[in-house]
Amino acid sequence: MAENKKRYFYVTTPIYYTSGMPHIGHAYTTSIADSIARYEKLKGRDVFFLTGDDEHGQKIEEKAREAGKTPQEYVDGIAKTFQDVWKLMHIDYDDFIRTTQPRHVAVVKKVFTRLLEQGDVYKGEYSGWYCTPCESFFTPSQLVQPGNLCPSCNRPCHMESEEAYFLNCKKYVPQLLKFYEEHPDFVPGGKLNEMINTFIKPGLEDLCITRTSFSWGIPIDEDPKHIIYVWIDALLNYISALGYLSDDQSRFEKFWGPDCEIVQLVGREINRFHTIYWTILLLALGLRLPDKILVHGLLLTRSGVKLSKSLGNAPQPKPLIDRYGLDSLRYYLARAVRFGEDGMFTPSLFVNLINTELANGYGNLINRTINMIGKYCGGKIPAVTENDPFTQKLFADIDLAVKNYMDAMDRFDVTSGAEHAMQIALIANKYIDDMAPWKAAKEGENAKVEETMAALAHAIRISSLLLSPFLVTKASAALDELNVPAQYRDFSTLSERNALAGIAVNDPVPLFPRLKKDEEIAWLEVLIDGEPEKK
């Protein structure tokens, strides 16, 4: 995939529904988006990263009532919890949009009025199968039988009938299909055809966009008993946060303009709302469409069950971070869960990956190298030479890993990107064994020792830079241990091999202590499954 040459980059997560606390599924999507944003910044692009909360709807109204709070009080508390978790995870977002904010409410009202005036919205009556947890209507053919179950969450749906306003989706189907045909990679991974075959070919129905059976939401000015249906409200966050239809549209013109690459991350269960209805909404408003909608899979338990707040089996990020560190969790989510596919969060996989790649691989490389530089080179990094065939091969392998990493990250394959970045550490550890600097030092081959130390320092700098979108604290700590100057901490200097010559290193600090496998697996099992029942 060729690198996108657009000057600006806009990346979004879905806004998360405030019906419960943030869990590892939310952390997965948000950390991946954050890693993509960090990568683009390292390339020198002007990046805007948006996340936020979806705070309206019938379920919120019910949850607040159960908690003895007003809906606004309820969502204020949940929103703070999300923001606290993102701070803990070092999520470096540029804006956190909330659908209860006046800036967003104003845009939703203006959009509804515009669509009504141009004939894309009409009043009618809706009767259909409704899933309250998903806040979604489904046709009879989409339900899972027996039991009239929701195809998204597998819970029972019920019939509802009420007066409503509809978005004329049928009008835009030809234009939508033409766009899909011209942009086959709009939704990578075959997920576009899934939407076409499941929802469009059987006959796309017009979308119900208001409700009258609850009050917690945005009322339309033209008919205040009607509340904007939660999905239209939620989808508009991506442009309301940029100032669309506000007094100052400069940010919108920059990050939704023709010179911006727009990438939106969504979970599989909300694919159709983004691939179909969000796209139709943009067409109706005469706005450009995103460059990519990246749909990720589900996080599953070791028995193949979806991790979710409703099932109570999705751990919150904080206990994991408190015990293992922020970077261990973020690296696992990027490296072990192939983006776009369903992935597992299991105790054994988690512990094994930390031990194999972070402790034995990357952390061990840094600790060994800095100790040897202190022991053999007086604590200073020598100048690079490439006399030995093993050194020549190491540099060639590093260059190839950098190329593969860039290719993967440019196509948003963060799993392969993390793998190629870590590969540098693994091959550098093998290089130490091949060069055996302890033996060379004993035999008085000082030039070989210095060549080895310089090459290893270069490998650590490059691997740390490539890993920094995932290891958001420890990669920087590794660069600090080598005293890497600020000008050599971005991608513009990746090809500079002698950047560290003459620099005095600091004392090594273990970055990733090796975990006691059985003990940690047992702890994680209790975290996910709860304490075992006593017999």
Side-chain angles (χ1 to χ4, degrees):
M1 174 180 173
E3 180 185 357
N4 193 297
K5 300 298 184 183
K6 293 180 179 180
R7 180 179 176 185
Y8 306 112
F9 186 82
Y10 182 36
V11 60
T12 68
T13 71
I15 53 173
Y16 301 112
Y17 203 41
T18 49
S19 60
M21 296 298 181
H23 58 69
I24 196 171
H26 302 113
Y28 173 64
T29 315
T30 310
S31 65
I32 296 300
D34 182 65
S35 294
I36 291 171
R38 289 172 182 268
Y39 168 76
E40 295 295 337
K41 288 175 185 175
L42 283 165
K43 291 199 305 181
R45 292 177 95 180
D46 190 344
V47 174
F48 195 85
F49 171 27
L50 177 70
T51 190
D53 283 345
D54 178 5
E55 299 182 348
H56 289 134
Q58 184 177 359
K59 186 159 60 169
I60 299 297
E61 197 172 62
E62 292 171 356
K63 288 277 188 179
R65 189 181 305 115
E66 291 169 6
K69 298 179 179 180
T70 68
Q72 190 64 60
E73 288 171 339
Y74 179 80
V75 297
D76 284 348
I78 301 292
K80 184 181 184 303
T81 304
F82 270 93
Q83 290 170 313
D84 289 346
V85 169
W86 299 156
K87 182 177 181 180
L88 182 67
M89 292 190 66
H90 289 222
I91 302 298
D92 191 20
Y93 57 78
D94 295 287
D95 196 358
F96 187 95
I97 184 77
R98 298 178 59 188
T99 57
T100 55
Q101 291 171 333
R103 58 171 174 160
H104 176 77
V105 172
V107 172
V108 173
K109 286 174 172 283
K110 289 176 183 178
V111 166
F112 183 88
T113 297
R114 176 176 292 189
L115 295 174
L116 186 65
E117 289 175 348
Q118 68 190 35
D120 285 322
V121 164
Y122 62 91
K123 185 188 281 190
E125 182 170 285
Y126 192 89
S127 294
W129 292 95
Y130 186 70
C131 174
T132 299
C134 293
E135 306 230 9
S136 302
F137 281 103
F138 296 95
T139 64
S141 63
Q142 292 166 346
L143 298 178
V144 177
Q145 300 297 350
N148 299 319
L149 303 180
C150 170
S152 295
C153 72
N154 213 42
R155 284 175 280 201
C157 296
H158 61 275
M159 282 295 296
E160 284 203 5
S161 179
E162 62 185 81
E163 182 183 86
Y165 285 85
F166 292 81
L167 177 66
N168 186 353
C169 294
K170 297 185 185 75
K171 171 182 174 181
Y172 290 97
V173 166
Q175 196 174 344
L176 181 69
L177 291 174
K178 185 174 187 294
F179 174 80
Y180 289 166
E181 184 180 352
E182 294 172 350
H183 301 84
D185 293 327
F186 175 56
V187 186
K191 297 177 178 65
L192 190 58
N193 286 334
E194 178 186 336
M195 293 296 103
I196 293 171
N197 293 330
T198 304
F199 295 103
I200 297 178
K201 281 188 177 178
L204 185 66
E205 298 294 328
D206 291 344
L207 182 67
C208 171
I209 63 171
T210 70
R211 303 290 306 281
T212 59
S213 56
F214 61 92
S215 60
W216 180 241
I218 302 173
I220 61 174
D221 293 336
E222 294 82 358
D223 198 348
K225 71 177 181 180
H226 283 265
I227 304 298
I228 298 289
Y229 177 51
V230 68
W231 272 105
I232 294 299
D233 172 8
L235 291 168
L236 286 169
N237 91 88
Y238 302 125
I239 52 178
S240 69
L242 298 178
Y244 177 62
L245 297 181
S246 70
D247 293 337
D248 180 4
Q249 290 203 126
S250 57
R251 180 178 286 170
F252 173 75
E253 290 164 358
K254 180 178 181 180
F255 289 104
W256 206 269
D259 200 22
C260 183
E261 183 179 10
I262 301 170
V263 175
Q264 303 198 262
L265 277 69
V266 302
R268 188 177 75 190
E269 68 276 13
I270 57 173
N271 181 10
R272 74 178 171 117
F273 295 104
H274 289 78
T275 302
I276 298 174
Y277 299 121
W278 174 228
T279 309
I280 286 174
L281 189 56
L282 290 169
L283 291 172
L285 293 171
L287 299 176
R288 61 154 294 184
L289 303 185
D291 293 273
K292 286 277 188 296
I293 292 178
L294 303 178
V295 181
H296 66 74
L298 304 175
L299 282 181
L300 308 173
T301 67
R302 58 189 181 277
S303 57
V305 177
K306 175 186 174 183
L307 290 168
S308 72
K309 58 178 177 282
S310 61
L311 295 175
N313 63 353
Q316 294 184 23
K318 189 176 186 305
L320 293 164
I321 293 169
D322 288 345
R323 191 171 182 94
Y324 303 111
L326 161 66
D327 289 358
S328 295
L329 175 60
R330 289 193 55 155
Y331 183 74
Y332 180 89
L333 293 175
R335 174 73 177 87
V337 182
R338 183 156 297 281
F339 192 85
E341 301 174 8
D342 290 347
M344 289 192 174
F345 183 85
T346 70
S348 59
L349 286 173
F350 183 79
V351 172
N352 287 337
L353 187 70
I354 292 174
N355 279 342
T356 302
E357 298 196 1
L358 294 181
N360 296 348
Y362 180 67
N364 186 44
L365 170 67
I366 295 162
N367 197 58
R368 292 172 78 188
T369 299
I370 293 178
N371 276 322
M372 288 190 292
I373 290 173
K375 182 176 181 179
Y376 300 131
C377 303
K380 287 190 175 181
I381 301 171
V384 166
T385 56
E386 300 180 47
N387 298 317
D388 193 284
F390 283 124
T391 304
Q392 295 164 11
K393 183 177 188 305
L394 175 67
F395 278 108
D397 287 343
I398 290 173
D399 290 345
L400 178 60
V402 170
K403 178 185 180 301
N404 290 337
Y405 170 88
M406 295 292 188
D407 288 345
M409 294 297 287
D410 283 342
R411 64 177 185 270
F412 311 111
D413 182 356
V414 293
T415 310
S416 294
E419 181 180 4
H420 292 305
M422 185 57 68
Q423 186 65 26
I424 295 175
L426 302 180
I427 61 178
N429 275 318
K430 183 178 185 304
Y431 171 75
I432 294 175
D433 296 335
D434 291 335
M435 294 295 280
W438 51 89
K439 181 179 178 183
K442 188 175 182 180
E443 295 174 355
E445 297 181 84
N446 293 336
K448 182 176 182 180
V449 173
E450 291 182 352
E451 179 175 333
T452 305
M453 296 305 110
L456 290 172
H458 174 72
I460 292 171
R461 181 176 81 90
I462 301 305
S463 63
S464 296
L465 283 173
L466 302 191
L467 285 167
S468 64
F470 316 110
L471 305 182
V472 296
T473 63
K474 296 298 179 71
S476 178
L479 296 173
D480 289 343
E481 289 187 30
L482 291 179
N483 275 322
V484 176
Q487 66 265 32
Y488 294 117
R489 294 192 180 207
D490 65 44
F491 287 177
S492 66
T493 63
L494 286 174
S495 61
E496 176 55 61
R497 295 184 176 180
N498 233 344
L500 306 182
I503 290 177
V505 299
N506 292 317
D507 292 334
V509 178
L511 298 179
F512 295 100
R514 183 172 173 80
L515 301 179
K516 296 178 181 178
K517 183 176 179 180
D518 292 342
E519 181 179 320
E520 297 309 321
I521 288 175
W523 185 88
L524 285 163
E525 286 176 346
V526 170
L527 178 70
I528 296 171
D529 300 333
E531 293 280 359
E533 292 184 10
K534 294 181 180 180
K535 296 183 179 180

